[in-house]
Amino acid sequence: MSDVLVFTQKQNFAREYVKEAKLDDFSAILVISGDGLMHEVINGLMERKDWQSAIKMPVGHIPGGSANALSCCVAYLSKETFKGLPIESFAAQSCFNLTKSLATPIDFVAYQLKNNRIIHSFLSFEWAIIADVDLESEKYRFMGGMRFALGAAKRILNLRVYRGRFSFLPADDCKNYVPKDSSIKINRQHSSIDLNDIQTITDNDTEVKQANFKYLAPIDQPVPNDWLTIEEDFVLFLVSYLPLISPDFLAAPEATFNDGHMHVIFIKQGITKAELLKLFTITENGGHLNSSVVEYVKVKAFRLEPLGLISNGQVQVSNKGVMMVDGESVPSDIIQAEIIPSLGNILANLKE
């Protein structure tokens, strides 16, 4: 086996490199950066002709960015200390643990955009305030993780509300999901979609076989009958498939590398700025999930249709907000996704 050190030179450099690399020469891929570079690597693997075997290549993460959510999740699930560590110490600890790590199955999520483009994700989907903060705080990257706290405070003071239509296939143990807020209405679909007709996406006349979805209907057709739909005015909308999205935001304490679910958290309009600010102070230990204004449901698949920014009681369809997958911007339009259990492998030193 060989070892090769590659320095990225521009955006999507890692994606293109991994897409063409001769993987037989290696036993694993280690990424030293933030979560964005890992996103590139995973999508590069999925875009290969031999993607079905390539995506099984174990990947490891050494923190070198702002949030370093994947490294935090590895440490959290491995029962290692990570909170409050300087980035240098956290990186050194991660390197040491990698020497004792084994390949562990990890769920990925396949996203379909309006133009039928498919992207794959290991961490999260964000819309409304968290996505706004993620994007707007880019200018404060020199502050490290503190950029998110500053960005959140600024955005809460000028809070935005977005109307959206959220449809989802609940997890088996959430089929009888009832929102905490009785004013949230759930609609059941009445469509004739037959998912036995597997959806196949084509790109430049080349069949993209990994886009044969198990749960998703074609994006321009109604969702299947066993899905539920909520149309609301949202302040926060987050989908996570790992426990943490940053060192101080334990979004889904129940999540593991391969629990087979996406964990959806949302807050509708009506929460005060003071309440929202208080919620952000208790995310470190997952305390936000105990709040009566925070809705939580586990899903296998979902579709989100952003309808527009609420301004003076009107929906501004020209502004549908920011959407982020693994902290990377995607077009703000209809999007749908489904979980793919244990598709990849992450290097982790899990303890019994």
Side-chain angles (χ1 to χ4, degrees):
M1 293 295 176
S2 306
D3 59 90
V4 176
L5 180 62
V6 178
F7 291 93
T8 57
Q9 300 173 11
K10 58 183 178 179
Q11 188 176 17
N12 283 321
F13 181 93
R15 187 181 199 142
E16 294 303 318
Y17 180 87
V18 169
K19 187 176 177 180
E20 303 297 333
K22 188 179 179 182
L23 296 183
D24 291 342
D25 292 341
F26 306 101
S27 58
I29 299 173
L30 302 183
V31 176
I32 309 173
S33 185
D35 299 302
L37 200 60
M38 182 63 77
H39 178 81
E40 285 191 26
V41 167
I42 288 169
N43 280 278
L45 291 172
M46 289 300 295
E47 290 167 7
R48 293 172 60 98
K49 292 180 180 179
D50 63 346
W51 67 270
Q52 289 171 306
S53 58
I55 196 60
K56 298 302 181 182
M57 170 71 71
V59 294
H61 192 218
I62 299 171
S66 298
N68 303 304
L70 182 56
S71 286
C72 292
C73 291
V74 171
Y76 175 81
L77 293 171
S78 302
K79 299 179 174 58
E80 296 282 351
T81 300
F82 63 95
K83 294 180 183 178
L85 287 179
I87 187 66
E88 297 84 0
S89 300
F90 190 18
Q93 175 182 281
S94 298
C95 289
F96 177 70
N97 285 328
L98 280 169
T99 66
K100 303 180 290 180
S101 294
L102 299 175
T104 301
I106 183 172
D107 300 337
F108 290 149
V109 172
Y111 283 86
Q112 182 182 10
L113 310 185
K114 185 178 181 180
N115 63 1
N116 281 335
R117 179 187 168 206
I118 307 298
I119 57 176
H120 293 83
S121 166
F122 66 92
L123 179 63
S124 66
F125 171 82
E126 304 165 355
W127 181 56
I129 187 171
I130 294 181
D132 287 344
V133 169
D134 210 343
L135 183 65
E136 293 169 1
S137 66
E138 283 283 336
K139 67 186 76 168
Y140 307 125
R141 274 191 172 274
F142 65 91
M143 298 178 64
M146 283 298 296
R147 65 178 257 218
F148 300 110
L150 176 59
K154 292 183 67 174
R155 179 46 52 209
I156 289 173
L157 291 174
N158 186 21
L159 195 59
R160 293 172 180 161
V161 179
Y162 299 94
R163 182 162 298 170
R165 186 177 298 119
F166 167 48
S167 302
F168 59 99
L169 175 64
D172 292 342
D173 57 349
C174 291
K175 286 184 176 179
N176 297 319
Y177 167 68
V178 176
K180 298 176 185 177
D181 187 336
S182 59
S183 70
I184 297 176
K185 305 302 180 186
I186 296 182
N187 298 314
R188 189 170 293 276
Q189 299 309 299
H190 300 286
S191 70
S192 58
I193 296 296
D194 184 1
L195 288 185
N196 290 321
D197 298 328
I198 295 177
Q199 182 189 174
T200 301
I201 309 302
T202 59
D203 182 16
N204 296 328
D205 297 325
T206 301
E207 187 177 359
V208 185
K209 295 184 176 64
Q210 67 265 37
N212 289 342
F213 295 115
K214 183 177 181 180
Y215 303 118
L216 301 181
I219 200 165
D220 59 352
Q221 296 186 30
V223 296
N225 280 333
D226 51 352
W227 286 42
L228 307 177
T229 296
I230 295 172
E231 184 169 326
E232 266 296 347
D233 295 339
F234 295 92
V235 170
L236 182 150
F237 189 91
L238 171 67
V239 185
S240 179
Y241 7 107
L242 286 176
L244 296 117
I245 61 169
S246 71
D248 52 4
F249 199 138
L250 182 59
E254 292 184 12
T256 67
F257 288 128
N258 46 37
D259 61 76
H261 300 124
M262 291 180 277
H263 302 254
V264 181
I265 301 165
F266 66 90
I267 299 175
K268 59 168 285 190
Q269 185 180 33
I271 187 172
T272 67
K273 295 178 181 179
E275 289 174 324
L276 189 57
L277 186 61
K278 183 178 180 180
L279 274 180
F280 275 103
T281 66
I282 58 175
T283 58
E284 185 174 5
N285 297 310
H288 57 287
L289 294 177
N290 298 321
S291 171
S292 61
V293 301
V294 176
E295 301 291 341
Y296 168 73
V297 60
K298 291 186 292 185
V299 307
K300 298 178 182 178
F302 77 93
R303 176 186 291 179
L304 179 65
E305 301 170 74
L307 302 178
L309 176 71
I310 303 296
S311 179
N312 298 320
Q314 302 295 315
V315 180
Q316 295 185 354
V317 296
S318 60
N319 184 353
K320 297 181 179 180
V322 176
M323 288 183 169
M324 311 281 275
V325 174
D326 295 347
E328 303 299 307
S329 295
V330 295
S332 296
D333 212 322
I334 185 171
I335 190 170
Q336 60 181 12
E338 70 172 47
I339 194 87
I340 309 178
S342 300
L343 180 61
N345 284 294
I346 182 75
L347 290 172
N349 180 27
L350 300 183
K351 300 176 179 62
E352 297 296 332

